[in-house]
């Protein structure tokens, strides 16, 4: 059954986020041959429209307004609601990002709809579109279907493969004028605390430190390794509680759930709450001086040793590799 | 100030998850207050202590949730409400839960509603924003700081994937708690004694003027399964420098991730 599917494209630091391309790919599966329309919302974002077409969208609807410079649920829901009213999609796909998480339930209420959040796989099974999502922070999974109303989902970054970029694709780009007003919450200031670029949930490589890192200073070698690999730094709650790093880096059941291609755990014991957040990574490397540490039970490769010796050596070795390739 | 906390009872984070007859096995499992809801409760108590008023903790759940409600009362909440819809509703999703909560709250004139930003079991993060939208009030999610000035102006710091947004808004308001908001207290012994005498009301769907049809789930779980078990891999041997070389080689040629 062909469906018209709407996706939301997100711009961060002046570029489209990968998860927006993954959302288009998910939308294609759901569309079953129907049209995929991408909504591009913000203040001066039009320039990104063609890229969305190259990534698989059939059409782009742009909503620009000065009041959309910062994300607010009021502003963005007004913009999206206008696009939805105009397009009348049968399904909607957002990224499961800070923005997507905040905005999707509000729109779901406006549409009197259900919402399947944090989807990691989409498939067509016997005429149904079936969504897989983690529950218990990844300790288990459930498969869900939408039984009534519009099919509204958010997709977790890094799990659904985006489509091949194709510059020969073309499609229309249209602007929709929407008045964005009466914002009840206003962003006064954005305090940048993360490094420019790689977001933890979207990173392909994560180098994570635990209490074994021993100090804030101790994270330095991990940062260097992450940099060489183009990855991000994460942490266990042990490290956050000890004040070595910010809670926003925490991975686990009460932190971020991540699924990078490569997860390097340094000085992390592997408590069940930590494993919940990272054990669905593709490849796990553990570096720990205790051969009995639980983390080795989930690691594909383990080195028993002092992280302050192993990590800098690893950085050197990867640097050499980079020079050669 | 009229303050409400939305609280969910969840599996203890220590629990391993097993499946029995296609369902998550709850037999013998320990339950706790959803960790993010503990921050919400703590913040509610602090706001009340500063500005006066009353904190009511509300849950949609089964009779077993009385235990977690009593814990919330022991921490310092004033009243508890259990909305038990088990006998009325078969299929429940976030649509259901939010509608039930909003229906309960709509004539209570809440000034401030606090929720967790996500439940560590269901994990959707939908319920807070849904309730706010159903009530027609603004919300701010994943907050790490809350300041309420006399006169009702509210300043909130919000965690956005590691960056911070400073947001100005006003009451009535719903916020969802992120780790770092505060340090939840443990119930004290006198607190536990007092909690036994605090009011805990139990409501059913009928009491809310809702029919089963009004809250019928829009989504359905058709299967629950466990991820493939991870096998312990290879512990490398030999000199550390050689292990490091071997590891890089393996990541390249065997695992193909770099
Ligand atoms: C409700 C609740 C929620 C929680 N949520 C989370 C969560 O989301 N995420 C999370 O991570 N935890 C969480 N925890 C905490 C969890 O139970 C553990 O306490 C925590 O993960 C331990 O952190 P750690 O592994 O860094 O520290 P530790 O367990 O202390 O382990 C440190 C490790 O470092 C090794 N080490 C020390 N020095 C070196 C060295 N020089 N070189 C190499 N190795 C070294 C040690 O052998 C040890 O294995 C939660 C707990 C509770 C109760
Ligand atoms: C009897 C019963 C049957 C169920 N059947 C199904 C089913 O068939 N299919 C299915 O998918 N799910 C089912 N559920 C689960 C339930 O629908 C969801 O867990 C619930 O809607 C909350 O969603 P969530 O876990 O994603 O919470 P989130 O939206 O992640 O929670 C965020 C915050 O909202 C608040 N909150 C969440 N839930 C509650 C609550 N119950 N009471 C008060 N505050 C709350 C808390 O502050 C929490 O921190 C059932 C639950 C019950 C009790």
């Amino acid at each position: 059954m062909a469906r018209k599917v709407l996706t939301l494209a997100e711009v961060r630091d002046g570029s489209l986020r990968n998860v927006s391309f993954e959302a288009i790919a998910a939308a294609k599966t759901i569309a079953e041959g129907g049209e995929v329309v991408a909504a591009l919302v913000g203040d001066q974002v039009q320039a990104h429209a063609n890229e969305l077409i190259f990534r698989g969208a059939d059409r782009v609807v742009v909503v620009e307004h000065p009041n959309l410079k910062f994300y607010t649920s009021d502003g963005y829901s007004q913009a999206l609601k206008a696009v939805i009213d105009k397009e009348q999609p049968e399904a909607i796909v957002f990224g499961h990002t800070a923005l997507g998480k905040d905005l999707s339930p509000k729109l779901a209420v406006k549409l009197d709809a259900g919402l399947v959040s944090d989807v990691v796989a989409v498939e067509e099974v016997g005429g149904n579109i079936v969504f897989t999502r983690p529950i218990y922070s990844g300790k288990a999974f459930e498969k869900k279907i939408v039984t009534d109303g519009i099919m509204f989902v958010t997709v977790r970054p890094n799990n659904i493969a985006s489509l091949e970029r194709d510059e020969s694709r073309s499609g229309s780009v249209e602007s929709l004028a929407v008045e964005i007003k009466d914002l009840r919450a206003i962003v006064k200031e954005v305090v940048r605390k993360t490094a420019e670029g790689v977001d933890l949930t979207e990173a392909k490589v994560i180098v994570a430190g635990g209490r074994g890192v021993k100090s804030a200073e101790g994270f330095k070698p991990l940062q260097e390794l992450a940099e060489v690999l183009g990855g991000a730094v994460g942490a266990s709650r042990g490290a956050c509680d000890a004040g070595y790093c910010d809670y926003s880096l925490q991975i686990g059941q009460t932190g971020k759930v991540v699924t990078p291609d490569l997860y390097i755990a340094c000085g992390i014991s592997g408590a069940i709450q930590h494993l919940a957040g990272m054990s669905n990574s593709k490849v796990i490397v553990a570096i720990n001086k205790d051969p009995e540490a639980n983390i080795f039970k989930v690691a594909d490769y383990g080195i028993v040793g002092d992280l302050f010796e192993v990590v800098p050596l690893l950085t050197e070795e990867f640097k050499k590799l980079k020079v050669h390739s | 100030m009229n303050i409400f906390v939305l609280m969910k009872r969840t599996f203890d984070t220590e629990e391993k998850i097993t499946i029995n007859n296609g369902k998550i096995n709850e037999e013998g499992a320990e339950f706790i207050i959803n960790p993010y809801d503990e921050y919400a409760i703590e913040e509610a108590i602090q706001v009340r202590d500063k500005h006066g008023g009353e904190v009511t903790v509300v849950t949609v759940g089964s009779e077993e949730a009385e235990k977690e409600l009593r814990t919330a009362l022991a921490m310092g909440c004033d009243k508890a409400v259990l909305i038990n819809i088990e006998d009325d509703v078969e299929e429940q999703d976030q649509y259901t839960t939010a509608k039930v909560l909003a229906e309960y709250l709509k004539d209570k004139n809440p000034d401030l509603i606090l929720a967790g930003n996500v439940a560590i079991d269901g994990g959707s993060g939908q319920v807070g924003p849904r309730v706010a939208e159903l009530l027609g009030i603004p919300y701010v999610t994943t907050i790490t700081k809350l300041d309420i000035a006399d006169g009702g102006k509210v300043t909130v710091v919000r965690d956005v994937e590691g960056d911070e947004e400073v947001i100005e808004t006003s009451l009535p308001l719903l916020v969802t708690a992120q780790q770092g908001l505060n340090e939840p207290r443990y119930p004290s012994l006198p607190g536990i004694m007092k909690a036994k005498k605090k009011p805990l009301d139990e409501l059913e769907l009928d009491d809310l003027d809702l029919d089963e049809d009004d809250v019928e789930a829009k989504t359905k779980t058709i299967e629950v399964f466990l991820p493939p078990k991870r096998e312990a891999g290879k512990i490398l041997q030999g000199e550390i420098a050689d292990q490091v070389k071997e590891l890089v080689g393996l990541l390249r040629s065997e695992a193909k991730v770099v």
Side-chain angles (χ1 to χ4, degrees):
Chain A
M1 189 187 95
R3 294 181 187 83
K4 185 179 197 177
V5 188
L6 180 74
T7 72
L8 172 63
E10 259 187 72
V11 179
R12 187 186 153 105
D13 292 338
S15 5
L16 286 162
R17 295 183 70 159
N18 265 332
V19 67
S20 303
F21 307 142
E22 294 162 3
I24 291 173
K28 278 266 195 244
T29 308
I30 297 168
E32 297 189 75
E35 191 184 29
V36 174
V37 181
L40 180 57
V41 173
D43 182 25
Q44 301 181 0
V45 288
Q46 174 102 26
H48 299 291
N50 278 331
E51 184 64 21
L52 293 166
I53 302 275
F54 299 159
R55 299 293 189 145
D58 297 309
R59 222 153 33 82
V60 181
V61 178
V62 185
V63 182
E64 291 184 312
H65 195 286
N67 285 347
L68 296 170
K69 178 161 194 275
F70 294 114
Y71 167 77
T72 58
S73 60
D74 282 342
Y76 272 58
S77 64
Q78 288 167 26
L80 262 301
K81 186 64 173 40
V83 178
I84 292 164
D85 287 346
K86 174 175 169 286
E87 295 290 337
Q88 300 286 326
E90 290 150 288
I92 305 176
V93 186
F94 286 4
H96 196 65
T97 57
L99 189 159
K101 273 184 246 186
D102 191 87
L103 180 62
S104 55
K106 185 180 175 90
L107 280 169
V109 169
K110 285 192 189 297
L111 301 168
D112 198 36
L115 173 62
V116 184
S117 301
D118 203 14
V119 166
V120 296
V122 183
E123 58 196 329
E124 192 270 330
V125 186
N128 271 325
I129 299 291
V130 177
F131 303 101
T132 304
R133 63 182 299 273
I135 48 176
Y136 300 87
S137 319
K139 289 178 185 172
F141 288 83
E142 64 175 350
K143 291 195 174 185
K144 291 201 88 166
I145 54 169
V146 176
T147 47
D148 184 30
I150 197 166
M151 207 181 272
F152 196 173
V153 302
T154 64
V155 295
R156 172 182 292 200
N158 255 355
N159 282 267
I160 292 163
S162 48
L163 304 169
E164 195 85 36
R165 185 172 188 275
D166 179 357
E167 284 200 31
S168 71
R169 285 180 52 91
S170 62
S172 79
V173 176
E174 37 200 292
S175 289
L176 183 65
V178 185
E179 203 190 333
I180 307 295
K181 54 177 191 199
D182 303 330
L183 306 183
R184 294 171 298 176
I186 290 165
V187 179
K188 284 283 162 195
E189 193 188 344
V190 179
V191 185
R192 192 79 201 214
K193 293 176 81 185
T194 51
E196 193 83 12
V198 195
D199 174 60
L200 205 48
T201 54
E202 284 190 293
K204 295 284 180 207
V205 178
I206 292 175
V207 183
R211 213 179 313 231
V213 166
K214 295 201 176 66
S215 65
E217 189 72 2
F219 265 96
K220 269 242 173 80
L222 276 60
Q223 273 148 7
E224 282 161 18
L225 177 56
E227 210 165 291
V228 174
L229 292 168
V233 171
S236 72
R237 171 142 160 201
C240 301
D241 279 345
Y244 306 161
C245 62
D246 203 80
Y247 276 115
S248 60
L249 298 189
Q250 182 179 316
I251 289 163
Q253 196 157 4
T254 50
K256 301 213 158 65
V257 177
V258 296
T259 43
D261 291 343
L262 175 59
Y263 190 91
I264 307 180
C266 313
I268 293 176
S269 61
I272 185 165
Q273 297 95 345
H274 188 77
L275 300 188
M278 48 64 79
S279 55
N280 293 313
S281 304
K282 282 182 201 100
V283 175
I284 296 171
V285 171
I287 301 163
N288 196 302
K289 65 178 184 190
D290 173 9
E292 301 299 324
N294 205 40
I295 190 80
F296 288 121
K297 295 205 183 110
V298 300
D300 300 281
Y301 306 107
I303 292 185
V304 178
D306 182 352
L307 72 93
F308 293 105
E309 183 186 352
V310 177
V311 173
L313 285 172
L314 258 181
T315 308
E316 283 314 306
E317 206 57 37
F318 280 120
K319 268 190 192 153
K320 280 189 215 158
L321 203 72
K322 258 183 137 175
V323 175
H324 288 301
S325 58
Chain B
M1 203 177 291
N2 198 8
I3 307 165
F4 289 84
V5 182
L6 313 182
M7 192 269 293
K8 191 182 188 194
R9 168 182 186 259
T10 56
F11 265 60
D12 192 324
T13 58
E14 291 288 339
E15 294 289 340
K16 288 217 170 69
I17 303 296
T18 56
I19 290 174
N20 200 352
N21 283 330
K23 287 210 158 67
I24 300 289
N25 189 5
E26 299 199 352
E27 199 79 30
E30 293 285 330
F31 284 83
I32 54 170
I33 295 175
N34 181 43
Y36 293 103
D37 303 356
E38 285 191 346
Y39 301 114
I41 292 167
E42 176 63 38
E43 198 67 16
I45 295 168
Q46 290 186 17
V47 170
R48 177 204 58 199
D49 289 350
K50 195 162 164 208
H51 298 273
E54 197 174 68
V55 178
T56 307
V57 54
V58 191
T59 198
V60 178
S62 64
E63 235 142 61
E64 281 101 66
E66 272 186 27
K67 180 172 155 270
E68 286 70 33
L69 288 173
R70 287 282 172 212
T71 306
L73 292 172
M75 286 172 77
C77 295
D78 301 292
K79 293 200 242 165
V81 176
L82 170 63
I83 309 175
N84 189 343
I85 59 170
E86 280 216 315
D87 295 339
D88 305 312
V89 179
E90 253 175 64
E91 292 283 345
Q92 183 183 345
D93 67 1
Q94 289 82 5
Y95 178 88
T96 315
T97 307
K99 262 213 155 160
V100 168
L101 286 166
E103 189 64 27
Y104 165 77
L105 288 162
K106 75 169 191 209
D107 57 2
K108 305 287 184 296
N109 294 315
D111 297 301
L112 179 66
I113 305 172
L114 298 105
N117 90 70
V118 69
I120 60 166
D121 49 4
S124 75
Q126 291 181 26
V127 171
R130 270 187 184 269
V131 168
E133 178 66 16
L134 285 165
L135 295 172
I137 64 173
Y139 62 86
V140 183
T141 55
T142 58
I143 71 159
T144 55
K145 197 164 189 286
L146 174 67
D147 269 319
I148 302 173
D150 297 330
K153 197 177 109 179
V154 183
T155 310
V156 187
V157 178
R158 167 166 192 252
D159 166 54
V160 185
E161 295 170 1
D163 295 330
E164 279 179 354
E165 275 177 14
V166 182
I167 291 175
E168 253 177 43
T169 181
S170 58
L171 301 177
L173 175 71
L174 183 146
V175 292
T176 75
Q178 173 67 304
Q179 186 167 35
L181 178 61
N182 52 42
E183 200 56 60
R185 70 193 67 189
Y186 290 102
S188 66
L189 203 53
I192 294 167
M193 298 310 290
K194 267 197 230 156
K196 290 185 178 147
K197 296 199 203 81
K198 289 182 179 172
L200 192 161
D201 286 343
E202 193 171 329
L203 303 176
E204 290 181 11
L205 215 50
D206 265 356
D207 303 314
L208 295 175
D209 266 336
L210 281 175
D211 280 341
E212 197 188 325
D213 292 349
D214 300 328
V215 296
E216 198 176 342
K218 300 273 184 190
T219 63
K220 186 179 158 114
T221 301
I222 54 169
E223 190 188 335
V224 177
F225 63 98
L226 298 179
K229 237 188 134 68
R230 267 200 114 93
E231 301 291 325
K234 201 182 275 180
I235 303 284
L236 306 182
Q237 307 287 342
E239 292 290 319
I240 291 289
D242 296 335
Q243 288 190 35
V244 166
K245 285 204 177 75
E246 187 185 349
L247 175 61
V248 172
L250 286 166
L251 290 175
R252 253 197 112 172
S253 53
E254 191 177 271
K256 299 196 167 64
V257 285
V258 287

